[in-house]
Amino acid sequence: MSSESLPQQRIVLGCGSVAVDFLATVASYPNPDDKIRSTSLKVQGGGNAGNALTCASRLGLIPRLISKVANDGQGKSILEELESDGVDTSFFIVEEGNSPFTYIIVDNQTKTRTCIHTPGYPPMRPEELSQSRLFSALDGVNMVYFDGRLHETALIIAKEAARKNIPILVDAERKREGLDYLLNFTSYAVCSAKFPQAWTEAPSIPSALVSMLLRLPNLKFVIVTLGEDGCIMLERSVNGVSDAEEMDVHSLLESLKQRKDDSHAIPTCISSVVTKLSANGIGTVTGRLFVGTAEKIPPNELVDTTGAGDAFIGAVVYALCAGMPPEKMLPFAAQVAACGCRALGARTGLPHRTDPRLATFL
Ligand SMILES: Nc1ncnc2c1ncn2[C@@H]1O[C@H](COP(=O)(O)OP(=O)(O)OP(=O)(O)O)[C@@H](O)[C@H]1O
Ligand SMILES: *[C@@H]1O[C@H](CO)[C@@H](O)[C@H](O)[C@H]1NC(C)=O
Ligand SMILES: *[C@@H]1O[C@H](CO)[C@@H](O)[C@H](O)[C@H]1NC(C)=O
């Protein structure tokens, strides 16, 4: 079996948020007190973990999700939709209350998506996941994913996963309560654009990536996604190459960006060799730097970027389980995310593994 063939029976366990998304596209964003009409409408399952695992499932992984919904109509539709996408919801907690939901306004002019989230009630309590349920949830699991929500439950899962040497991937969207403890157990971090600097207080994204690898000894790589500007990845080199060249991380990033060929619409990746990367006042790590480009989506095909980060992460989880190298993983994840941007909602446009647009990767 080649490393890129279908990772048979690859199970990913996720813990994090689910919701019902109420998406409305508007011709242009309203002013306070305006009354306007939507130009299109969709009600569908959402939440970072729900979306990312739906993506992973469509790509061929076997996902299990730990989260909580209420036993109301919305909770039922959240579960049914996940199940119909092949996500195992048997570890969900269902309790009397209100399920989480999100109003999302998609501005067809600026392509922004504004989210108003209402958390579910009552919140998940870590003791709701019994020890025996935890053990069965982790049985046979190849990778664990957290979106940073339900942090007390996530930490319990993380500790057990670490004990069993199961790698952990975390979606670091913003600073959240309990996230630092989770990050300490994390092998792979995928961050939103603002997170690395917010978390490290470093003066630039590249120096913040160096800082993250220095502060988090278990971290193998960190990726920061930058919307239509693609992504940057810093991978730690394990076999410390003592004679690697030392270079300022900013200079290296600039030299990689200069090698970018902007004539390509399809996502690409430019990588450095193993280098001692230094960041002024922060320190030095030995590793490789990667610049991934996003797909250039024609304006008339770009519909809604809701969940682009989740799609990207679902594809990264797949790529790691399939043993894909970073040079291929980053364009693959960008391609999957770009498919998602061509339809309204976080899940509508998520591709299945038979999608011809993924043929060169799978
Ligand atoms: N306008 C776009 N055109 C092409 N690709 C895009 C666009 N927006 C996002 N993507 C792809 O999706 C990836 C993730 O997007 P982004 O950095 O916006 O994530 P995010 O802010 O975490 O998104 P979300 O919170 O909505 O899930 C990008 O690296 C890129 O590959
Ligand atoms: C968005 O705007 C374009 C033209 O700018 C139009 O063709 C399209 O139908 C609009 N989509 C929605 C959902 O409003
Ligand atoms: C993370 O781990 C390091 C050492 O392994 C420790 O010093 C630090 O306090 C931990 N941080 C958190 C938030 O647990």
Side-chain angles (χ1 to χ4, degrees), residues 180-181 184 215 217:
D180 289 13
Y181 299 105
N184 245 13
R215 289 195 202 183

Side-chain angles (χ1 to χ4, degrees), residues 19-355:
V20 174
D21 286 352
F22 296 91
L23 297 129
T25 308
V26 298
S28 74
Y29 199 81
N31 294 309
D33 234 21
D34 276 358
K35 286 185 175 179
I36 61 164
R37 287 194 179 194
S38 63
T39 53
S40 62
L41 186 76
K42 184 158 273 163
V43 181
Q44 83 173 173
N48 292 123
N51 297 340
L53 289 200
T54 296
C55 178
S57 182
R58 291 193 191 174
L59 293 174
L61 298 182
I62 302 172
R64 289 176 195 154
L65 180 51
I66 295 176
S67 190
K68 182 170 181 174
V69 291
N71 61 350
D72 53 7
Q74 290 180 8
K76 242 180 235 115
S77 69
I78 288 171
L79 295 178
E80 279 170 12
E81 214 177 318
L82 287 168
E83 285 288 339
S84 74
D85 254 311
V87 179
D88 179 353
T89 63
S90 60
F91 295 96
F92 262 68
I93 309 299
V94 181
E95 194 184 350
E96 202 73 40
N98 308 305
S99 293
F101 63 92
T102 311
Y103 291 121
I104 303 175
I105 302 168
V106 179
D107 180 346
N108 192 26
Q109 221 161 35
T110 59
K111 303 298 174 185
T112 54
R113 70 321 169 243
T114 305
C115 303
I116 308 169
H117 181 68
T118 304
Y121 186 85
M124 182 144 177
R125 299 180 302 275
E127 61 273 17
E128 286 176 308
L129 182 69
S130 69
Q131 184 90 338
S132 66
R133 300 277 287 162
L134 169 65
F135 289 156
S136 358
L138 275 168
D139 188 43
V141 164
N142 300 91
M143 179 161 298
V144 170
Y145 153 87
F146 300 117
D147 66 11
R149 263 56 149 266
L150 314 179
H151 65 272
E152 290 170 298
T153 307
L155 187 61
I156 291 168
I157 301 169
K159 286 179 176 161
E160 188 55 25
R163 214 181 52 78
K164 296 180 78 174
N165 281 319
I166 304 171
I168 296 172
L169 181 145
V170 168
D171 173 1
E173 198 179 37
R174 65 177 81 108
K175 292 211 269 184
R176 293 180 196 280
E177 195 185 350
L179 181 65
D180 289 13
Y181 299 105
L182 270 189
L183 283 174
N184 245 13
F185 290 98
T186 299
S187 301
Y188 311 105
V190 183
C191 311
S192 63
K194 288 182 185 150
F195 182 83
Q197 281 175 268
W199 193 72
T200 61
E201 291 172 1
S204 67
I205 290 180
S207 59
L209 299 182
V210 170
S211 176
M212 283 183 76
L213 282 194
L214 289 172
R215 289 195 202 183
L216 299 169
N218 293 316
L219 205 58
K220 295 192 169 127
F221 72 59
V222 52
I223 297 174
V224 56
T225 65
L226 307 166
E228 63 183 345
D229 294 327
C231 66
I232 303 169
M233 169 171 163
L234 178 57
E235 179 189 45
R236 190 195 304 275
S237 289
V238 270
N239 326 312
V241 187
S242 54
D243 58 352
E245 190 188 351
E246 178 160 339
M247 202 166 172
D248 177 73
V249 67
H250 301 95
S251 321
L252 183 58
L253 182 61
E254 281 317 307
S255 73
L256 292 184
K257 282 182 175 169
Q258 271 164 23
R259 280 166 50 202
K260 248 187 347 193
D261 179 355
D262 283 324
S263 65
H264 286 295
I266 56 162
T268 57
C269 178
I270 300 106
S271 58
S272 79
V273 296
V274 175
T275 308
K276 266 189 201 151
L277 293 154
S278 63
N280 231 335
I282 289 167
T284 304
V285 291
T286 303
R288 294 177 71 196
L289 195 64
F290 300 80
V291 171
T293 61
E295 188 186 336
K296 289 185 188 62
I297 305 175
N300 62 328
E301 290 178 30
L302 180 65
V303 175
D304 173 23
T305 62
T306 301
D310 301 331
F312 188 95
I313 287 173
V316 167
V317 170
Y318 175 87
L320 287 168
C321 287
M324 239 186 233
E327 292 84 347
K328 191 168 173 182
M329 171 177 83
L330 297 181
F332 172 64
Q335 177 67 65
V336 169
C339 292
C341 293
R342 286 177 156 89
L344 182 61
R347 300 186 190 171
T348 312
L350 291 177
H352 291 83
R353 66 177 288 114
T354 48
D355 193 305

